[in-house]
Amino acid sequence: MQGDLFDALGRDVTRDLGDGAWLRIVEGFVPEDAATMAALVAELPLRQETLTIAQQTWPTPRLTSWHGDPGATYTYSRRTFEPEAWTPGLAAIRDALDEVVGARFNGCLANYYRSGDDSMGAHADDEPELGPNAPHDVLIASVSLGARRRFVLQRQRGARERIVLELGEGNLLVMGGATQRDFRHLVPRTKRVVGPRLNLTFRIIRAL
Ligand SMILES: O=C(O)CCC(=O)C(=O)O
């Protein structure tokens, strides 16, 4: 599958990736994306976390904050995060997702990529708190504001399929069903001069 299947503005396209995995992309989900991003960056407590791999600690190459309903505790990269409160801007986007996706998200991870040097390594959102049937059935709504960055999905089993999307400027990507079982995703570094990008991944967290 090529990225250009998703390239037209104003489109709302769903793609069946087989074996119960699917993607939906909605261009223009957040119409005033520059103003919305500026307001969110001002209200979110974005900070640089650290990641420990093989007893070495590194700063993560992006700023993050985790938000959600009380009790929406999320563990990833071997660290546990208690939710910060919903901010007005995040709550407005969460409520808009209720309408467009038809699901109530109770947690949101904000990732702020300051420049092309910031990135996200390959991973799947497959933690057990993401649903009773994770990773076979996980719903993630990912809203991207600001500069478009490459978002790469890599199939983990069978054919080595790669799907490349350009996420930013207020578009919405919904990953559903078995996407987190069958694909990993990443935002690679780029040498291109790119402006900042804010990504908001809304998740449904259950108590374990
Ligand atoms: O910035 C993005 O589009 C990816 C974010 C992501 O992979 C995540 O939050 O798990």
Side-chain angles (χ1 to χ4, degrees):
M1 182 177 295
Q2 302 297 313
D4 62 6
L5 285 171
F6 293 99
D7 66 1
L9 279 177
R11 292 277 296 276
D12 182 348
V13 183
T14 300
R15 290 286 162 210
D16 182 349
L17 304 179
D19 288 336
W22 57 268
L23 301 178
R24 177 182 173 197
I25 190 157
V26 181
E27 288 290 346
F29 172 71
V30 178
E32 302 288 337
D33 94 294
T36 305
M37 182 165 109
L40 281 163
V41 169
E43 71 182 25
L44 296 176
L46 293 162
R47 59 185 163 259
Q48 190 162 29
E49 299 287 355
T50 55
L51 183 63
T52 302
I53 303 170
Q55 292 169 353
Q56 280 205 297
T57 299
W58 310 90
T60 52
R62 61 193 171 275
L63 307 184
T64 58
S65 59
W66 168 246
H67 300 262
D69 294 351
T73 304
Y74 189 30
T75 301
Y76 65 93
S77 298
R78 294 187 289 275
R79 292 200 49 194
T80 297
F81 295 89
E82 296 299 334
E84 307 264 0
W86 292 103
T87 65
L90 280 184
I93 295 177
R94 177 202 61 200
D95 293 348
L97 287 169
D98 277 8
E99 297 286 315
V100 173
V101 182
R104 182 73 186 174
F105 294 95
N106 64 357
C108 174
L109 180 63
N111 289 298
Y112 186 59
Y113 303 83
R114 295 159 291 183
S115 71
D117 283 337
D118 277 354
S119 61
M120 171 76 79
H123 67 283
D125 298 330
D126 55 2
E127 295 83 10
E129 58 265 54
L130 292 176
N133 298 316
H136 307 284
D137 190 10
V138 175
L139 187 68
I140 305 276
S142 170
V143 176
S144 297
L145 303 160
R148 285 189 187 252
R149 293 283 300 265
R150 289 176 73 213
F151 177 92
V152 182
L153 286 139
Q154 303 171 328
R155 188 184 285 280
Q156 292 307 294
R157 301 183 305 164
R160 284 278 160 194
E161 185 183 5
R162 258 171 119 242
I163 299 169
V164 182
L165 305 173
E166 295 276 341
L167 298 185
E169 298 180 356
N171 62 10
L172 163 67
L173 171 71
V174 186
M175 297 184 277
T179 307
Q180 305 305 320
R181 181 195 67 197
D182 293 353
F183 290 85
R184 299 201 304 166
H185 56 269
L186 67 148
V187 177
R189 286 178 66 177
T190 177
K191 290 199 189 314
R192 279 189 299 129
V193 178
V194 289
R197 168 175 179 270
L198 180 66
N199 172 261
L200 308 168
T201 51
F202 290 81
R203 299 154 198 250
I204 301 170
I205 302 290
R206 69 186 180 115
L208 290 179

